Amino acid sequence: MSTDLRPPSSAAQPGRPEPAGDGSRTPRWRDRRTRTLTAVAIALALVVAVAVAGTLAAGPAATTDLAARHEAPSWGHPFGTDAYGRDLLLRTLVGLRLSLLVGLTAAAMSGLIALVLALVATVGGRAAAAVVGWLVDLFLALPHLVLLLLLAFALGGGTQAVILAVGLTHWPRLTRVLLATSHEVAGSDYVATSRALGHGRLHVARRHLAPHLVPHLSVGAVLMFPHAILHEAALSFLGLGIDPGQPAVGVLLQDAMRTLSAGHWWLAVLPGLGLLLVVKLVDRIGEDLRLLLAPRSAHL
């Protein structure tokens, strides 16, 4: 009787990974990365579509029709009409485009402030680091909405005032993130070698620190974008934001409060849902970018 003493094949051994075969199977991490990139592309396309539609709707949104005032949502007017018979869907698209522009400008301003402060604190010595740390703690200690209201009121209200107010108050948390990254880079061997070769602080900040901070800055600015949009809408709702003559979402919600008790619910609910959808899309873009750019992310 013959006995087969050969070891079992790899396919029969439990707990052992299967062979790669011909290499046609896509790795799991690459498949997840592809899905994340697809989600980012879809969300970005939707946001761009809203901005383009708002640009095209600027003219028709101002057309009045008193015979069709306060009409409920229908096929002809999916969002209904307002007190002057203007199509609420077109006005919402124009308001969302305006909110996107304000949020983009304010987020870019806050990101630039955070980047400059992080670089100054890292290469400026102990005194500069102490001043930047004190500023960050001061702004984080103040109530955010109260600070927004005070700045918008001091600047006189209007579109420029809300951009400045939002842009000047959203940088502290991003500054902390950039400070942590810049301190880690500043303690690396190649930065020490660069300084030993006689390179100054500006060279170190420009050639070594800034390239490492840009990915974190990009993701942080995108994640600030939804907060900037919501705070712009809040300031406009309180009368300190966008000029009342422009159909910003906050202005639409403020106007809806006057007739909401009469049963015209669509004037507040539908523009609010549109704003929520755009905010969630931008927030999704920021979260997916964070997962794509984070080198230690489990998503990859």
Side-chain angles (χ1 to χ4, degrees), residues 16-296:
R16 185 169 180 175
E18 297 182 359
D22 57 355
S24 60
R25 183 172 298 177
T26 304
R28 184 176 298 177
W29 67 268
R30 186 175 300 173
D31 184 59
R32 290 180 178 177
R33 183 181 180 89
T34 302
R35 290 201 302 266
T36 304
L37 288 173
T38 303
V40 171
I42 293 174
L44 185 60
L46 291 175
V47 173
V48 172
V50 170
V52 173
T55 303
L56 298 177
T63 303
T64 60
D65 185 7
L66 296 180
R69 58 193 304 267
H70 285 158
E71 286 189 357
S74 61
W75 289 109
H77 303 285
F79 278 25
T81 59
D82 62 1
Y84 297 95
R86 295 171 295 191
D87 189 274
L88 191 60
L89 174 60
L90 299 180
R91 290 177 61 79
T92 301
L93 290 174
V94 176
L96 292 176
R97 170 187 170 273
L98 186 58
S99 296
L100 288 173
L101 291 177
V102 172
L104 178 62
T105 307
M109 182 186 303
S110 293
L112 181 60
I113 294 174
L115 177 62
V116 172
L117 290 178
L119 293 176
V120 169
T122 305
V123 302
R126 293 184 178 180
V131 172
V132 172
W134 179 80
L135 285 175
V136 171
D137 293 338
L138 175 64
F139 273 80
L140 289 177
L142 295 173
H144 191 71
L145 184 58
V146 175
L147 183 60
L148 276 172
L149 292 173
L150 291 177
L151 284 177
F153 180 78
L155 294 172
T159 305
Q160 295 182 353
V162 70
I163 291 176
L164 290 175
V166 175
L168 293 174
T169 56
H170 282 71
W171 53 266
R173 297 186 184 277
L174 179 57
T175 303
R176 279 189 169 181
V177 175
L178 297 182
L179 279 174
T181 304
S182 61
H183 285 313
E184 182 179 356
V185 175
S188 60
D189 294 336
Y190 60 86
V191 171
T193 303
S194 178
R195 289 176 175 173
L197 293 175
H199 295 151
R201 296 178 179 180
L202 292 178
H203 177 86
V204 172
R206 185 178 69 254
R207 298 295 299 273
H208 300 297
L209 296 180
H212 287 83
L213 296 181
V214 167
H216 299 276
L217 174 65
S218 303
V219 175
V222 175
L223 290 175
M224 280 193 300
F225 202 169
H227 298 279
I229 295 175
L230 290 176
H231 288 144
E232 174 273 321
L235 290 176
S236 299
F237 177 77
L238 296 174
L240 295 174
I242 304 299
D243 298 330
Q246 301 183 19
V249 176
V251 176
L252 295 179
L253 295 177
Q254 184 187 44
D255 294 339
M257 294 298 103
R258 304 171 184 173
T259 58
L260 191 61
S261 59
H264 304 145
W265 56 268
W266 59 89
L267 297 178
V269 173
L270 298 181
L273 289 177
L275 178 64
L276 179 62
L277 176 62
V278 170
V279 168
K280 293 299 293 182
L281 286 174
V282 177
D283 185 68
R284 177 63 185 271
I285 293 173
E287 290 293 338
D288 287 342
L289 286 178
R290 180 182 62 83
L291 295 175
L292 289 171
L293 297 179
R296 299 179 182 178

